[in-house]
Amino acid sequence: MKELGDDIAGVLKDLEDMFNPALLEGTVAVDEKPLPDGKRMFSSLFGWVPTIPDFPVSVYTESDAPELDPFWIWPKDETEVAVWALENNMPVRAVGMPGGGKSEFARNLAAITGRAFCRINFHGEVFLEDIIGKTDLVGGETKFTYGDVPKYVRRPCVMLLDEVSAAKPGLYMGFLQRFLEAKVTKIQATGEEIPPHAGLWVMGADNALGLGDNRGKFPTRNVQDISTLNRWPVTVHVNYMDTEAM
C-alpha cells in the first residue's frame, strides 16, 4: 500500500507541474541577484522562456548603468533576436517610426544587463573628431581629448549609434564601416588602436533602412552603400507598443 501511495503522489506531482500556470505561459522565476561580471540565462534575466533555445547572457555591474524603466514592456521576438545577436558579437540595428521605442529598447537592454549606455546622435553636423576626439591647445600645450567612442569602447556598454543614415558620407567610410566590422577604434592623431571590451554591445537606430526615403517623411536620410549596410548583420523592427500588451 505504501508503494501505491508513493506512485499516486508522484503522478499528482507530475499533473501539478503540467498544469502550473506559470509553466503554461512560458514564464520562469527571475533570480534575485546576478553574479558580478557573470552570466544569466536569458529566461532568468528577462522573465520568459525564449522561442529559440535558452542561452546565457553576460551581465555587469557598471555604476552608471541606467535604471530599468518599470513601465517598459519588452517586444519579445525582437528582444530574443537582438540579445542573441549582441551576445554573439553582432551589431544590431533597430528600425522603426519616431517614438516607437528604438532608443528606449537599447537603454533598457543596458539597464537589465548592468552596462553603461552611450548614445551618439549622427545628425548632419557631426564630424569624425566630434565622436573620436580632437587635439586642443590646453595651457599652451597641445593635448588630445578623447570623444565618447574611445571612452566607452573600453567598458561594458550598450553604444547606440542613433540616426546613422543621417550621417555624412565621410563618417561611413572613415568610421562606421571599420567600427561595425571589428569594433576597433583607430585614432589617427595619436596612432592608437583601441580594442573593444568584451562586454561592448553596438546598436543602431534609424527611421529608414539605409536606402533613403521616397515617402517624404525622412528627407534628411542618406542612401548608404551596400558595404555599410552589410555590416549590420541583424535588423529588428521596433514598432509602436501593442495596446493589448499595455
Side-chain angles (χ1 to χ4, degrees):
M1 292 295 293
K2 183 176 182 303
E3 292 180 358
L4 179 60
D6 290 342
D7 290 342
I8 293 174
V11 171
L12 291 175
K13 180 65 171 62
D14 291 340
L15 289 172
E16 182 181 350
D17 290 341
M18 287 174 60
F19 290 97
N20 186 329
L23 294 179
L24 288 175
E25 293 173 7
T27 59
V28 296
V30 179
D31 295 344
E32 291 184 0
K33 286 187 178 181
L35 294 173
D37 294 337
K39 295 279 187 178
R40 294 274 299 278
M41 295 303 291
F42 179 96
S43 58
S44 172
L45 186 61
F46 286 88
W48 76 86
V49 178
T51 54
I52 59 177
D54 206 359
F55 58 94
V57 180
S58 56
V59 294
Y60 296 87
T61 55
E62 294 297 287
S63 60
D64 57 346
E67 293 186 3
L68 185 65
D69 184 348
F71 299 105
W72 175 255
I73 298 176
W74 294 103
K76 289 188 175 181
D77 291 343
E78 293 79 3
T79 302
E80 293 170 17
V81 171
V83 174
W84 183 89
L86 291 165
E87 193 64 25
N88 284 277
N89 204 33
M90 300 180 192
V92 172
R93 181 176 54 160
V95 175
M97 297 296 288
K102 301 181 297 296
S103 298
E104 286 305 302
F105 182 45
R107 188 189 307 276
N108 281 287
L109 284 177
I112 200 170
T113 60
R115 287 168 163 81
F117 179 70
C118 174
R119 178 180 179 179
I120 299 174
N121 195 315
F122 284 88
H123 57 76
E125 297 305 316
V126 170
F127 295 91
L128 189 61
E129 64 178 14
D130 296 321
I131 59 177
I132 299 297
K134 57 185 176 180
T135 301
D136 291 319
L137 187 63
V138 180
E141 298 181 355
T142 56
K143 179 181 179 181
F144 186 82
T145 303
Y146 291 103
D148 281 342
V149 170
K151 287 179 182 177
Y152 280 91
V153 295
R154 311 169 193 257
R155 307 176 50 197
C157 171
V158 173
M159 182 174 290
L160 178 63
L161 309 178
D162 202 8
E163 309 298 357
V164 287
S165 67
K168 291 180 177 297
L171 281 174
Y172 301 148
M173 309 302 291
F175 168 70
L176 279 173
Q177 290 186 5
R178 178 186 176 90
F179 185 70
L180 292 173
E181 185 172 4
K183 299 183 185 175
V184 174
T185 304
K186 183 172 179 61
I187 302 176
Q188 299 287 351
T190 64
E192 292 178 86
E193 286 197 358
I194 304 173
H197 189 282
L200 175 68
W201 284 1
V202 177
M203 298 187 67
D206 213 332
N207 302 126
L209 288 168
L211 302 176
D213 175 55
N214 59 6
R215 297 171 297 174
K217 293 184 177 181
F218 311 108
T220 60
R221 299 302 182 265
N222 299 315
V223 176
Q224 297 174 300
D225 61 55
I226 196 66
S227 60
T228 300
L229 294 176
N230 283 346
R231 285 167 170 80
W232 293 108
V234 176
T235 297
V236 295
H237 291 264
V238 179
N239 299 314
Y240 295 118
M241 187 181 299
D242 187 351
T243 56
E244 295 182 358
M246 300 176 65

